[in-house]
Amino acid sequence: MSEIDSLTSASRDLCGTMLVHRRLLNESMSYRSHRQAIENRAMQYEAGRFTPVTSHVVTIPVVVHVVHRPDVPEQNISDEQIQSQLHVLNEDFRATNSDVRQVPEVWRGLVADAKILFRLADRDPEGEPTDGIVRVATDRPGFSWDDGVKSGRSGGSDAWPTDRYLNMWVCALTGGLLGYAQFPGGPPDTDGVVILNTAFGTTGLAAPPFDGGRTATHEVGHWLDLYHIWGDDDGACSSDDKVDDTPKQGGANTGRPAFPHISCGNGPHGDMFMNYMDYTDDAAMFMFTQGQSTRMRACLEGARASFSITGEQRPAEPLLEATGGAGPSTRPSVQDGEVERLLLDGERLTRELLGEIHAALGLVNERPAGRG
């Protein structure tokens, strides 16, 4: 089996996001505190105590880091493959994907236009023109979920400022991983999503059953604070994704299940396995719910508010044609009072972070002499 063939054999069992999440929870008191604050905000939106500041479409600038082996030229994926992925993201997050009509009738009223678009960045961090694509040669045979691909020192590519760009790394991944993301609230220098190069976009190196661009849709969902739909409780039926309008289910679904698929006593309709946050094949997932959209909006007005304040904003009319390219720029149209609310939220989060740092320094200073 060639190296390229081995990369196409991955199964979607393998989003590494929760592995990263648990590692950061164990390593970082700051991350734990941030996640609690982010979750509290999401709960307020879910309960209707907070309402979104704006209903405008937010357009997020994207930089794609293509990390490739020179001796495996296929890994240096084409601009066309990258554009095909942006096209899928824009359709999926605006609910203009053609397969959304396959959602079972009982859930069609829950299908959400998340009002988020993605475009390749046209300016780099220094303000110079760019196509939004960074190509970096590596001698690494592959990367794992340890964030090695996100640093030039470990054979990867350094992130662009993560409060201004969604960083997407495309590379060879080991261990059958299709991708992983970092939830909001984590270290800035590793923020973003990582996608296997054979599960990115719909053309070029993309290989079935993950050639529909839905791995990136799934991972960007995590980046916008969505959990796996089954709650990652190993089938215990004791947890969920913290979204009220997604049914509780027993575990991940794979392949292309038949409707209904019942678990955790969730009949008669069963699992919402066609949700982007399950593990089914690309051709079997085609919806976000209203509750998931609300949670993503809470993220864009909280931990990722920099994209709502400085990113492009457009009226929320239905999208006629979703493309990966950037159209004419429309500058932010949120009202002064709305911007003030977002800025106040940002100021509050900064104060909380400083308090956590001071507390952590206090704990360090209180350690007995001679302890490491």
Side-chain angles (χ1 to χ4, degrees):
M1 179 181 291
S2 71
E3 182 168 10
I4 289 296
D5 290 337
S6 69
L7 292 176
T8 67
S9 63
S11 69
R12 186 184 284 277
D13 186 39
L14 307 162
C15 161
T17 298
M18 293 306 293
L19 298 172
V20 174
H21 175 56
R22 290 165 185 149
R23 171 173 59 80
L24 290 173
L25 288 174
N26 288 329
E27 292 177 350
S28 172
M29 181 177 69
S30 176
Y31 181 71
R32 293 196 300 272
S33 180
H34 285 162
R35 288 304 305 162
Q36 182 176 5
I38 291 165
E39 192 56 47
N40 287 341
R41 183 185 188 91
M43 290 173 61
Q44 297 292 323
Y45 276 68
E46 176 83 16
R49 297 188 186 98
F50 284 3
T51 57
V53 168
T54 177
S55 62
H56 282 76
V57 176
V58 176
T59 301
I60 296 176
V62 177
V63 54
V64 177
H65 305 261
V66 180
V67 181
H68 61 95
R69 287 263 303 275
D71 59 334
V72 188
E74 298 93 334
Q75 290 185 358
N76 192 11
I77 63 173
S78 67
D79 290 2
E80 180 185 11
Q81 184 172 345
I82 294 169
Q83 289 289 355
S84 75
Q85 181 61 76
L86 271 290
H87 181 89
V88 171
L89 287 173
N90 286 337
E91 287 192 332
D92 290 351
F93 281 84
R94 291 303 314 272
T96 60
N97 49 301
S98 61
D99 50 0
V100 73
R101 65 175 65 97
Q102 299 180 48
V103 173
E105 184 175 359
V106 66
W107 289 320
R108 286 177 189 167
L110 297 179
V111 172
D113 172 1
K115 299 175 184 174
I116 302 169
L117 288 173
F118 304 86
R119 65 168 178 84
L120 290 173
D122 55 15
R123 295 284 171 181
D124 70 13
E126 285 72 45
E128 297 298 321
T130 180
D131 61 1
I133 302 171
V134 177
R135 298 182 182 275
V136 173
T138 186
D139 60 2
R140 293 274 300 266
F143 295 88
S144 185
W145 51 272
D146 61 359
D147 291 333
V149 73
K150 300 176 182 179
S151 171
R153 293 190 302 273
S154 51
S157 178
D158 294 337
W160 287 13
T162 53
D163 60 341
R164 295 164 53 194
Y165 305 92
L166 165 56
N167 285 260
M168 304 183 76
W169 287 268
V170 184
C171 62
L173 288 171
T174 60
L177 279 173
L178 289 179
Y180 69 94
Q182 182 173 293
F183 283 121
D189 58 344
T190 55
D191 193 23
V193 304
V194 180
I195 309 294
L196 175 67
N197 47 26
T198 62
F200 189 80
T202 62
T203 188
L205 204 59
F210 309 118
D211 56 347
R214 265 57 193 273
T215 296
T217 300
H218 178 101
E219 299 304 343
V220 173
H222 284 312
W223 183 80
L224 289 167
D225 204 31
L226 298 185
Y227 286 99
H228 290 137
I229 194 171
W230 67 92
D232 291 281
D233 61 359
D234 297 322
C237 298
S238 61
S239 186
D240 61 18
D241 63 350
K242 307 182 189 301
V243 175
D244 286 345
D245 63 2
T246 57
K248 184 172 286 189
Q249 69 181 51
N253 289 287
T254 58
R256 302 186 68 172
F259 176 80
H261 181 266
I262 296 171
S263 67
C264 288
N266 61 8
H269 308 306
D271 299 349
M272 190 183 280
F273 57 78
M274 68 293 307
N275 194 283
Y276 293 125
M277 302 314 293
D278 208 335
Y279 271 2
T280 50
D281 291 350
D282 283 16
M285 52 170 58
F286 27 78
M287 72 174 292
F288 289 120
T289 68
Q290 297 290 336
Q292 288 173 316
S293 178
T294 296
R295 187 175 175 90
M296 288 189 277
R297 186 61 57 165
C299 176
L300 282 171
E301 296 183 2
R304 300 206 185 281
S306 59
F307 292 97
S308 291
I309 295 172
T310 62
E312 295 178 8
Q313 302 226 3
R314 306 180 185 191
E317 292 89 355
L319 189 66
L320 297 179
E321 182 179 3
T323 65
S329 175
T330 303
R331 298 313 306 162
S333 58
V334 288
Q335 299 300 312
D336 290 344
E338 297 167 345
V339 172
E340 182 179 3
R341 174 177 146 183
L342 290 172
L343 291 173
L344 288 173
D345 280 346
E347 182 181 353
R348 176 179 55 78
L349 290 171
T350 301
R351 287 198 303 269
E352 291 173 358
L353 176 59
L354 289 173
E356 293 157 13
I357 293 172
H358 291 158
L361 290 173
L363 290 173
V364 170
N365 291 335
E366 291 169 7
R367 289 179 180 173
R371 292 286 182 90

